[in-house]
Amino acid sequence: MNIDLIYRVLLEEMGSHQLIKEAPMRNYTSFKAGGKAALLVIPHNIVQLQYTMKVIAKEKVPYFIMGNGTNLLVRDGGYPGVIVKIGSTLSHIRVTGNMIEAEAGALLKDVADKALEMGQTGFEFASGIPGSIGGAAFMNAGAYDGEMKKVVEKVQVLSQDGSRVYSLTAEEMEYGYRKSILMERNEIVLSVTLRLAAGDRDQIALKMEDLNARRREKQPLNYPSAGSFFKRPPGNYAGTLIQTSGLKGTSVGGAMVSELHAGFIVNTGGATASDITALMKLVQDRVFEDSGIRLEPEIRIIGEE
Ligand SMILES: Cc1cc2nc3c(=O)[nH]c(=O)nc-3n(C[C@H](O)[C@H](O)[C@H](O)COP(=O)(O)OP(=O)(O)OC[C@H]3O[C@@H](n4cnc5c(N)ncnc54)[C@H](O)[C@@H]3O)c2cc1C
């Protein structure tokens, strides 16, 4: 695979600071762990993003789209293709009445703050989720009483080869629990339009504060992590099953099942991706032995061992 060739071709359209060879992904993910990306590309606008996708398609290299890296682990052997990061350079937020259109790289917190500023309710649930709105629309992120499915009006999508921009309605996104149609298509979220409702600013602020206080109390936010590690199994909670199996505080190397919230695997310092995946397997096996339930990771794990 010709990463050097791709680097040279992309360099014609963007600055060298936007193209990072052998990028240490621990610096770009909330787990603060993991291997390198052969090439990390950070487009500064949609034209550069389209160009990047065209080059990737032409050269037929594997690629992965990331947002804020808060639900992502790159294995220690690294990702052998191109990781394209859609971040703060693609994060414009525009409000029209009760609709908010945000570019994919906008942080959920910033979108929620904008909704508060405009007196729009319905997005309070997302204010404490540390991801981008593109990642959230892709994953159908949710918390407490809310999920993206309930507020998305439409999602603007770029095809894999960068040639086509089109929109999907919330229904066409085929949302399920932490699931959307884009997971099968491997396409790219460019922007997300939310439909909110007029509300009272004080009430919105109170709700955001309340939800964030609950997070601070219940979640190990002082350690690097990727949030809840496992999906919620039907009719149960991953954290409860893990706690019942007596696994709180269990560790492998620098990875530990949080003492505060058993659904979180945290990096207590210097965890490798293989510490984290070894602990994941240990938890999966023990919970399966005890309950017959197989926990599946919610986070995305990519790259080579
Ligand atoms: C402390 C903590 C608390 C959390 N709490 C919650 C919570 O309450 N609820 C919840 O749902 N999640 C939670 N998360 C997980 C995470 O924040 C969400 O899943 C978030 O939506 C991921 O967004 P991201 O931009 O970081 O995506 P990334 O981690 O960068 O990527 C996640 C997935 O989204 C895809 N993706 C990202 N951007 C795009 C794009 N523009 N186009 C196409 N695909 C894209 C990636 O390919 C990948 O498959 C938490 C994480 C942490 C660290």
Side-chain angles (χ1 to χ4, degrees):
M1 188 195 327
N2 205 337
I3 290 291
D4 284 332
L5 172 74
I6 292 188
Y7 178 87
R8 283 199 305 276
V9 175
L10 292 178
L11 201 53
E12 287 170 17
E13 289 294 319
M14 45 186 111
S16 55
H17 61 288
Q18 295 173 256
L19 302 166
I20 302 146
K21 280 198 222 173
E22 297 297 319
M25 293 309 294
R26 63 174 182 280
N27 295 348
Y28 298 91
T29 53
S30 58
F31 241 136
K32 303 271 170 266
K36 295 177 177 173
L39 180 62
L40 177 68
V41 181
I42 308 176
H44 279 188
N45 53 49
I46 289 181
V47 174
Q48 288 185 349
L49 174 60
Q50 283 184 294
Y51 181 73
T52 303
M53 298 316 298
K54 275 182 191 150
V55 174
I56 288 172
K58 183 158 175 277
E59 299 303 325
K60 298 190 173 57
V61 284
Y63 70 89
F64 185 83
I65 306 293
M66 72 177 284
N68 204 32
T70 62
N71 215 21
L72 179 62
L73 180 65
V74 179
R75 290 192 189 91
D76 298 319
Y79 185 76
V82 181
I83 297 187
V84 181
K85 178 170 168 63
I86 300 184
S88 58
T89 50
L90 284 164
S91 64
H92 185 69
I93 304 170
R94 197 176 54 163
V95 183
T96 323
N98 64 346
M99 309 280 246
I100 297 189
E101 186 186 348
E103 284 185 328
L107 292 178
L108 292 165
K109 181 186 181 312
D110 293 340
V111 179
D113 284 348
K114 181 60 105 181
L116 165 64
E117 185 191 321
M118 305 309 292
Q120 295 292 319
T121 183
F123 206 57
E124 295 88 331
F125 77 91
S127 75
I129 305 177
S132 68
I133 198 161
F138 176 89
M139 303 279 298
N140 189 20
Y144 305 104
D145 57 348
E147 59 178 335
M148 291 300 289
K149 178 185 176 177
K150 291 189 188 165
V151 286
V152 164
E153 174 76 9
K154 65 175 186 199
V155 177
Q156 194 185 44
V157 179
L158 178 67
S159 62
Q160 289 193 37
D161 65 358
S163 66
R164 198 165 77 93
V165 176
Y166 67 100
S167 286
L168 292 175
T169 61
E171 201 175 25
E172 288 165 339
M173 286 290 284
E174 296 183 17
Y175 278 131
Y177 172 64
R178 302 290 178 266
K179 214 172 87 181
S180 79
I181 186 79
L182 295 184
M183 291 179 168
E184 286 160 34
R185 296 196 192 165
N186 213 9
E187 291 181 321
I188 301 127
V189 176
L190 289 180
S191 70
V192 181
T193 304
L194 307 173
R195 181 188 287 277
L196 303 178
D200 176 78
R201 270 200 199 92
D202 291 341
Q203 293 293 328
I204 298 167
L206 261 179
K207 185 163 181 189
M208 277 165 55
E209 273 162 34
D210 173 49
L211 296 181
N212 288 329
R214 285 205 238 167
R215 264 179 204 277
R216 286 193 297 273
E217 190 191 328
K218 302 231 165 78
Q219 299 184 357
L221 302 181
N222 48 338
Y223 286 114
S225 79
S228 296
F229 196 95
F230 298 99
K231 287 185 189 161
R232 196 177 60 224
N236 220 315
Y237 289 100
T240 310
L241 291 166
I242 297 166
Q243 187 171 346
T244 307
S245 285
L247 291 168
K248 265 190 172 178
T250 304
S251 57
V252 174
M256 184 177 83
V257 174
S258 164
E259 304 263 12
L260 187 62
H261 186 320
F264 277 56
I265 290 180
V266 294
N267 179 357
T268 57
T272 59
S274 44
D275 290 342
I276 294 167
T277 53
L279 183 57
M280 169 186 86
K281 289 197 183 92
L282 185 156
V283 168
Q284 285 173 315
D285 291 348
R286 186 78 67 77
V287 167
F288 186 72
E289 268 170 37
D290 293 347
S291 67
I293 295 172
R294 183 97 196 142
L295 293 177
E296 294 300 334
E298 173 182 314
I299 74 158
R300 312 286 287 193
I301 303 173
I302 62 168
E304 299 181 344
E305 296 286 348

